[in-house]
Amino acid sequence: MGKQEFLERMRSARVALNDAISGMSEEQIGQDIVAGEWTVKDILAHLAAWQNETLLSIQRAEQDEDIGPMIAESVDEWNQRRVEERRRLPVMDVLQEFNAGHDDLLAALNRWPEDSVPLGPAGWDETSRLWWLTEHDGEHLHAIQTYRKRIGQV
């Protein structure tokens, strides 16, 4: 798989996720619990936080700085902290961060040479440390689709 297919997987997953939230009210996005203790807004905040953290790592790599680990705590703790930080924000602010972060991340990946992958170790495929970016939106898609069915918005 090459870089363009990698990026297309990210774009396609985002289109599916955007389709799933399209037409939902701010109340539905921000108030109803859809997965565990998370609202749709929390899911979007979670995705935005990971996009932003990944973008920072890629920018460090572009500057030949030490990348280090992406996060310094357990994934669950980090996720909870990032979601909590965004709970006080209006839905529209979270949506903006979610969309802008994705665009910024795609732009950074687009700048990266075809023959290498930011953060390595290998190609633009399952061996890449960033492969999860091609699947992360999809991991949360089902919860939102299930919620929409539950409220009769299919």
Side-chain angles (χ1 to χ4, degrees), residues 99-119:
N99 289 316
H102 188 258
D103 292 346
D104 292 345
L105 182 56
L106 282 174
L109 291 169
N110 242 341
R111 288 191 305 269
W112 206 266
E114 174 80 32
D115 62 345
S116 68
V117 179
L119 317 184

Side-chain angles (χ1 to χ4, degrees), residues 70-87:
M70 246 192 249
I71 61 173
E73 56 197 314
S74 80
V75 171
D76 290 339
E77 290 171 335
W78 191 89
N79 284 339
Q80 191 60 38
R81 189 180 318 271
R82 299 297 87 74
V83 168
E84 287 295 329
E85 290 169 356
R86 289 161 175 83
R87 281 205 171 130

